[in-house]
Amino acid sequence: MDTGVRTLIPARIDRLPWSPFHTRMVIALGVAWILDGLEITVASAIADTLTKPETLHLSSTAVGLIATVYLIGEVVGALYFGHLSDRLGRRKLFMLTLAVYLIGSGLTAFTLGNGTGWLIFLYLTRFIAGMGIGGEYAAINSAIDELIPARFRGRVDIAVNGTYWAGAVLGTLGSFILLNKVDVSLGWRLGFLIGPVLGLVILFVRRHLPESPRWQIMHGRNDEAEESIARIEHEVEETGRTLPPVDEQKAIEVKPAEQIGYLALARVLFREYPSRAVLGATLMITQSFLYNAIFFTYTLVLGKFYGVSSESTPLYLIAFAVGNLVGPFTIGHLFDTIGRRAMLFWTYVLSGALLGVTALLFYTGTLNAITQTIAWCVIFFFASAGASAAYLTVSEIFPLEVRAKAIGVFFAIAQCFGALGPVIYGALIGSGDHPVRLFIGYLVGAVIMIIGGLVARFLAVDAENKSLEEIALPLSATARRGRTRAEGAASPFST
């Protein structure tokens, strides 16, 4: 029978000052969101190009299926690699998932025709690229949360998630240049190679990152965990920073974790953390529905209702993306100071309320293309911070042994519901002759976001400045501060 071991490793991680090690880690791991934003934007930008005879001459249906296959790949990747991340470790998976993405996206550029075989090749490569990015979400969020000191975790995680929109800007600019300055038959291929070139550079940076000591200690790899945390501490001290003493009262006793599958995960989520499961699902579904509904149909709104040409839409999309990027970087720190509960409530409710006001202005004909874009920038300044905090929430409120799987599950749920948004709003937009339909659709989106905020108000976990082990005691923990692990209302660490 495995015996428990007393460890201070979580406390040693949380007491570290910010250092170049943390900056390097965030850059190396956070690129996952940039790559996703870049991939989706490039695919959207070159969609029309792939229907031309000088490229692949695909039908509109065949082109539309490219995005669907990519999203399905993300869901499969999040679930599959999320399971492997909890089982095999964070480091192995954040190396593997990036490699999978590089292979998938890189091979997409070598689709040479539109015959049945080449179409299968095209869809297969997009599915593989999606799997890699979906796996990145699960493995990377887990690694970042477990290696970042508690007092910085909120703002760092939110900023990293927000960099999706930096990828969107990069993808928009890159596609605009390649499709207008390079021969069209070559430009779309180079567009799909932007991400792999960036990812290849980051792959070498990731090689020097350690495994999560938290994961190692929970899986009985005590010597490896000690080596990893000692290496991190040494790197921090080499920069001239002084490490504060470790609080011995924060020691926990753990025993090696058992392997937990998705059925066992369901029991953990809905039996031991039911309110947190509801919170995570609600936050992820509501933000995903709103984002997919608005982002994937925004160019249609510009064209159908405001007469903006397809050549000019990238300029509006860049402004939209910048608004989304600024939010997490400017107000993300408030999730660590004001707190998770209040900020989740206000970012969701404010974005929903502003969407309702914008819907009314749209219906009355008050807006033009520029003012509509400004309105979206303001709305998503708040919505982007809230959406990034949704990913933070599901990555920190469940035990370490199931963290990556939990992220994968909620990400998959969000993507499935979010996929309904473009279909529904695309139908509401139609030919642009019935603005009342889109007005009603926007009001529904506003209500959905407000519901997410209200759920957060009552169910959110006050996780700011707390150790992950305080927020959710590991399943492998046998005792903490003299207590045995008891779930339910008697536990100070459960909802």
Side-chain angles (χ1 to χ4, degrees):
M1 180 178 178
D2 291 318
T3 58
V5 58
R6 185 176 181 274
T7 180
L8 280 166
I9 280 181
R12 289 167 70 181
I13 293 174
D14 286 334
R15 67 72 146 94
L16 292 175
W18 191 266
S19 71
F21 163 77
H22 297 102
T23 302
R24 178 165 55 87
M25 180 194 68
V26 168
I27 292 173
L29 299 182
V31 74
W33 285 263
I34 295 177
L35 294 176
D36 191 24
L38 188 152
E39 281 293 307
I40 290 179
T41 306
V42 167
S44 299
I46 62 113
D48 184 58
T49 302
L50 294 182
T51 64
K52 297 179 179 180
E54 59 267 38
T55 60
L56 298 183
H57 203 195
L58 301 178
S59 67
S60 296
T61 301
V63 171
L65 190 57
I66 293 175
T68 301
V69 169
Y70 177 81
L71 291 175
I72 292 173
E74 281 196 322
V75 170
V76 174
L79 294 173
Y80 178 67
F81 291 123
H83 172 71
L84 289 184
S85 181
D86 282 334
R87 180 182 176 186
L88 303 179
R90 313 311 190 203
R91 187 180 186 279
K92 288 181 180 177
L93 266 295
F94 64 60
M95 296 295 290
L96 175 61
T97 52
L98 183 56
V100 169
Y101 161 75
L102 289 173
I103 293 171
S105 192
L107 288 177
T108 298
F110 294 94
T111 305
L112 302 179
N114 60 359
T116 302
W118 283 116
L119 276 179
I120 293 174
F121 176 82
L122 173 64
Y123 294 138
L124 180 61
T125 59
R126 297 316 295 154
F127 179 82
I128 293 172
M131 277 192 69
I133 293 298
E136 288 271 287
Y137 275 98
I140 301 303
N141 261 321
S142 302
I144 288 178
D145 281 356
E146 290 165 14
L147 288 168
I148 293 293
R151 61 191 180 282
F152 303 115
R153 189 175 60 245
R155 70 196 73 183
V156 169
D157 210 332
I158 289 171
V160 166
N161 280 281
T163 57
Y164 173 98
W165 296 102
V169 172
L170 181 61
T172 302
L173 289 173
S175 300
F176 184 77
I177 294 171
L178 291 172
L179 295 179
N180 288 279
K181 303 297 182 181
V182 180
D183 182 80
V184 69
S185 62
L186 176 63
W188 75 267
R189 301 179 192 279
L190 294 178
F192 276 117
L193 291 176
I194 297 174
V197 169
L198 175 61
L200 192 60
V201 174
I202 295 299
L203 189 64
F204 288 99
V205 179
R206 286 187 181 182
R207 290 177 56 198
H208 303 288
L209 294 180
E211 176 59 88
S212 163
R214 277 185 159 107
W215 182 88
Q216 290 172 321
I217 196 68
M218 301 304 173
H219 287 77
R221 304 183 180 187
N222 305 332
D223 292 341
E224 294 175 24
E226 182 59 38
E227 289 179 11
S228 295
I229 187 62
R231 172 184 163 189
I232 294 171
E233 290 173 334
H234 176 69
E235 188 168 338
V236 172
E237 288 180 315
E238 277 194 327
T239 63
R241 288 161 174 78
T242 302
L243 302 186
V246 183
D247 185 355
E248 294 286 339
Q249 294 299 312
K250 292 184 177 180
I252 61 173
E253 188 174 319
V254 298
K255 61 180 181 180
E258 298 178 1
Q259 297 299 330
I260 298 175
Y262 278 104
L263 288 178
L265 172 65
R267 289 194 295 271
V268 171
L269 294 183
F270 295 102
R271 184 180 66 188
E272 300 187 23
Y273 297 98
S275 63
R276 296 187 182 192
V278 171
L279 170 70
T282 302
L283 291 178
M284 293 292 284
I285 289 171
T286 52
Q287 63 84 21
S288 181
F289 181 85
L290 177 72
Y291 263 100
N292 284 280
I294 303 303
F295 182 63
F296 285 109
T297 61
Y298 184 54
T299 55
L300 290 176
V301 173
L302 290 174
K304 300 295 185 182
F305 293 101
Y306 299 115
V308 177
S309 66
S310 58
E311 292 79 12
S312 301
T313 52
L315 301 176
Y316 292 88
L317 287 174
I318 289 175
F320 180 83
V322 169
N324 278 274
L325 180 63
V326 171
F329 277 85
T330 55
I331 63 174
H333 68 283
L334 298 179
F335 287 82
D336 282 328
T337 54
I338 294 177
R340 309 285 203 263
R341 185 188 304 268
M343 288 302 297
L344 280 167
F345 171 74
W346 283 112
T347 51
Y348 271 69
V349 169
L350 273 175
S351 57
L354 290 171
L355 176 57
V357 172
T358 302
L360 181 61
L361 295 175
F362 164 79
Y363 179 62
T364 59
T366 306
L367 300 175
N368 56 36
I370 294 176
T371 53
Q372 175 76 77
T373 300
I374 293 173
W376 286 130
C377 287
V378 175
I379 292 168
F380 285 93
F381 172 87
F382 297 104
S384 181
S388 296
Y391 283 95
L392 165 67
T393 298
V394 298
S395 69
E396 69 180 358
I397 62 175
F398 298 108
L400 180 144
E401 294 89 343
V402 297
R403 178 167 294 122
K405 279 193 289 291
I407 296 169
V409 166
F410 288 111
F411 176 79
I413 292 172
Q415 289 294 76
C416 291
F417 278 90
L420 298 174
V423 176
I424 294 173
Y425 281 77
L428 293 175
I429 291 168
S431 60
D433 297 329
H434 302 284
V436 66
R437 296 177 182 174
L438 188 57
F439 165 66
I440 294 172
Y442 284 156
L443 290 182
V444 171
V447 170
I448 287 175
M449 282 299 285
I450 291 172
I451 289 173
L454 291 174
V455 170
R457 173 65 182 81
F458 293 102
L459 298 184
V461 179
D462 299 315
E464 58 274 7
N465 302 306
K466 291 182 180 178
S467 165
L468 292 172
E469 291 70 29
E470 284 185 271
I471 301 167
L473 196 63
L475 302 177
S476 57
T478 58
R480 178 184 174 89
R481 296 177 187 173
R483 298 177 185 267
T484 58
R485 187 176 188 278
E487 296 296 333
S491 172
F493 307 119
S494 61
T495 316

